[in-house]
Amino acid sequence: MNIQEVLSDKVKEAVKSIFDKELPNVEFQPTRKDFEGDITIVVFPMLRVVKGNPVQIGEQIGSYLQEHVDAVVGFNVIKGFLNIVIDDSYYLNFFNSITSIEHYGYVKESDDAVMVEYSSPNTNKPLHLGHIRNNLLGYSVAEILKASGKKVYKTQIINDRGIHICKSMVAWQKFGNGETPASTGLKGDKLVGNYYVAFDKAYKEQVAILVAEGIDQKVAEKEAPILLEAQEMLLKWEAGDEETVALWKTMNGWVYKGFEVTYKNLGVDFDTLYYESDTYLLGKDVVAEGLKKGVFFKKEDGSVWIDLTEDGLDEKIVLRSDGTAVYMTQDIGTAIQRVKDHPDVNGMVYTVGNEQDYHFKVLFLILQKLGFSWSKKLHHLSYGMVDLPSGKMKSREGTVVDADDLMADMTQTAATISEELGKLEDYNETEKQSLYKMIGLGALKYYILKVDPKKRILFDPEESVDFQGNTGPFIQYTYARIQSILRKAESMGIDISKDAKVTELHAKEKELIKQLQIFPDTIQLAAENYSPALIANYTYDLVKEFNSFYQQVSILGESDDQKKVLRVQLSKKVAEVIQDAFRLLGVEVPERM
């Protein structure tokens, strides 16, 4: 039991004993820096149960706690806030209990499985800045859920079919002259993306010619010859035409190889993959079944709908009058298929931009009405757009920022800033490049993940690589500084294998231990809220606390050997927690910087 749980029980006991009232819960907050105390009990909410002066109530409860809880050695009441002073021995015992725990704060995996979907790109172009936020969020939430004790499957559905794919294929047939990633030296996703752009260019030219010939704009847009060719190709693909399917497999294969490189560089991975070409017919049988049960209804034209007006939504189509599926049908079928494939899955997280908020409300509600028990544990990890300051790192088209280009630019930005700081004289070129990539990608990931997912982000590359403030490199630098302390401690022969014999703590040591104490709860909170931002900002607070400790307390220069041991142990544990917290964000930490 941690001190908060102990105090919660004892405060309820105090209220029962003194006032003969049942207190449902106790509200805590950290004690303000300008008051004496370690933890503060907020008295105001108790006034609903206990009538009286909040200061007097606080005094009575404080006296009861001091008498009945060994760890409580003092208290003071400021207005309606009861500040409790906890004995140093409590924090020392706590710290000694965690020093040798590997991955302190992580919980052992249970049988409670959840599937996290992220990335889910189209196979007609490379990944871009929006995909980066999506991948980083999905991967990090998966890792946080895992650390909170869940069994996690990471997945994506690859949008590998449809008219957009056929557009790239038609353009390659027309303008490609048989070129391949091998013959051009281009990544496969870039090559195919170029043909998607080429299609769009040719299509606009053809529309302009038709309009110049006197054809109405809307008609011209539907009858441009190259678009008709793409539509014809889609019909051939759906009919299983061998030549079309062979080209589709070849070009998609190029794209997958390109994506693999991007994912590897970004440091994300997947356990299972789903392809829209396999899932686009799923869900029709579920609709037929739901029609029988009265979950869906048929309109006069033969189309099938669900009426969600009583749930505050509207009517939603699930099958067209010609019997073809819509996206919703496919999503219903895919969700059910995933649980069939992984029977232990008890919930799913969909990492998809906030423009799809309504779609997921409808999807989850339909699955609930169809009676799937796991549907109550579906979550849409909705996130906002990422913008760049205008003029910075725009792609050749001037609109979409390519993911590979962005990662390369971040590495270059980190290199420029690191060279200016000039602390890498003893590094060879390979070590430098590895460090630049670690700093650049750490900066990118941290900057994106420290923001609440729902908020839109203005991503400033140079600001993200700043070595001061709430940035990835600032935290990485602190980790590297601690590694330097540990190397020096080892060279001095300081033995940190046994508990330090210390009875009193410096105020800064106590603050650091208090910060370490909340790491497990932070992981659980981040898992409950699907928010890497809680982990990122916790880590920043820990690092600020450590730097304050480092500046005000002598570590290796301390004359008392036992205090020195404690301070080295404390530094080591802080570094381990930084590394474990950053692992949940997909960020690496350097041994030297």
Side-chain angles (χ1 to χ4, degrees), residues 185-233:
L186 274 178
K187 271 176 89 230
D189 52 335
K190 300 277 198 310
L191 182 71
V192 172
N194 288 347
Y195 285 104
Y196 187 66
V197 173
F199 176 93
D200 195 52
K201 185 169 173 258
Y203 169 69
K204 282 175 179 160
E205 285 167 3
Q206 288 183 2
V207 169
I209 290 165
L210 291 172
V211 170
E213 288 171 359
I215 291 171
D216 178 73
Q217 175 82 22
K218 283 202 166 68
V219 175
E221 284 170 3
K222 283 182 182 168
E223 293 185 358
I226 197 166
L227 177 64
L228 299 177
E229 283 180 65
Q231 288 169 342
E232 175 64 25
M233 183 177 269

Side-chain angles (χ1 to χ4, degrees), residues 112-115 342-348 373-375 377-378:
D112 189 8
V114 64
M115 186 171 269
H342 304 86
D344 54 347
V345 163
N346 191 28
M348 286 179 230
S373 58
W374 43 263
S375 64
K377 291 191 178 175
L378 298 177

Side-chain angles (χ1 to χ4, degrees), residues 67-88:
E67 194 180 326
H68 292 85
V69 183
D70 291 344
V72 175
V73 291
F75 70 91
N76 60 84
V77 182
I78 312 287
K79 295 181 178 170
F81 298 94
L82 168 57
N83 304 316
I84 302 290
V85 183
I86 304 296
D87 189 38
D88 287 358

Side-chain angles (χ1 to χ4, degrees), residues 105-273:
Y106 286 24
V107 175
K108 199 164 160 273
E109 185 184 285
S110 67
D111 295 332
D112 189 8
V114 64
M115 186 171 269
V116 182
E117 176 193 293
Y118 53 96
S119 198
S120 303
N122 294 330
T123 57
N124 63 330
K125 53 192 170 191
L127 302 173
H128 54 68
L129 177 57
H131 288 115
I132 283 189
R133 186 174 198 191
N134 181 302
N135 273 275
L136 296 181
L137 269 175
Y139 176 85
S140 180
V141 163
E143 291 298 316
I144 290 166
L145 287 168
K146 211 184 284 182
S148 78
K150 294 259 195 284
K151 182 178 184 180
V152 175
Y153 297 104
K154 300 172 189 164
T155 193
Q156 61 171 325
I157 182 155
I158 298 161
N159 302 307
D160 65 341
R161 63 168 281 279
I163 192 73
H164 50 292
I165 311 296
C166 293
K167 287 176 180 178
S168 300
M169 288 160 66
V170 165
W172 183 84
Q173 279 182 331
K174 282 183 154 338
F175 318 122
N177 300 315
E179 70 177 18
T180 66
S183 72
T184 57
L186 274 178
K187 271 176 89 230
D189 52 335
K190 300 277 198 310
L191 182 71
V192 172
N194 288 347
Y195 285 104
Y196 187 66
V197 173
F199 176 93
D200 195 52
K201 185 169 173 258
Y203 169 69
K204 282 175 179 160
E205 285 167 3
Q206 288 183 2
V207 169
I209 290 165
L210 291 172
V211 170
E213 288 171 359
I215 291 171
D216 178 73
Q217 175 82 22
K218 283 202 166 68
V219 175
E221 284 170 3
K222 283 182 182 168
E223 293 185 358
I226 197 166
L227 177 64
L228 299 177
E229 283 180 65
Q231 288 169 342
E232 175 64 25
M233 183 177 269
L234 181 58
L235 292 172
K236 281 183 174 178
W237 180 86
E238 286 180 348
D241 175 69
E242 275 183 35
E243 197 182 321
T244 306
V245 170
L247 177 61
W248 171 76
K249 282 182 177 169
T250 299
M251 290 181 72
N252 273 351
W254 295 344
V255 173
Y256 299 145
K257 283 199 173 128
F259 283 171
E260 273 171 31
V261 172
T262 308
Y263 290 141
K264 190 162 187 277
N265 282 335
L266 194 55
V268 302
D269 58 6
F270 304 91
D271 301 310
T272 54
L273 303 178

Side-chain angles (χ1 to χ4, degrees), residues 377-417:
K377 291 191 178 175
L378 298 177
H379 180 77
H380 174 206
L381 178 52
S382 172
Y383 62 89
M385 294 279 290
V386 185
D387 302 307
L388 288 162
S390 60
K392 286 194 180 182
M393 292 199 309
K394 284 202 170 182
S395 70
R396 284 176 295 283
E397 283 81 31
T399 50
V400 178
V401 178
D402 178 274
D404 295 313
D405 291 350
L406 177 60
M407 286 191 280
D409 282 348
M410 288 303 299
T411 302
Q412 189 48 55
T413 303
T416 306
I417 291 174

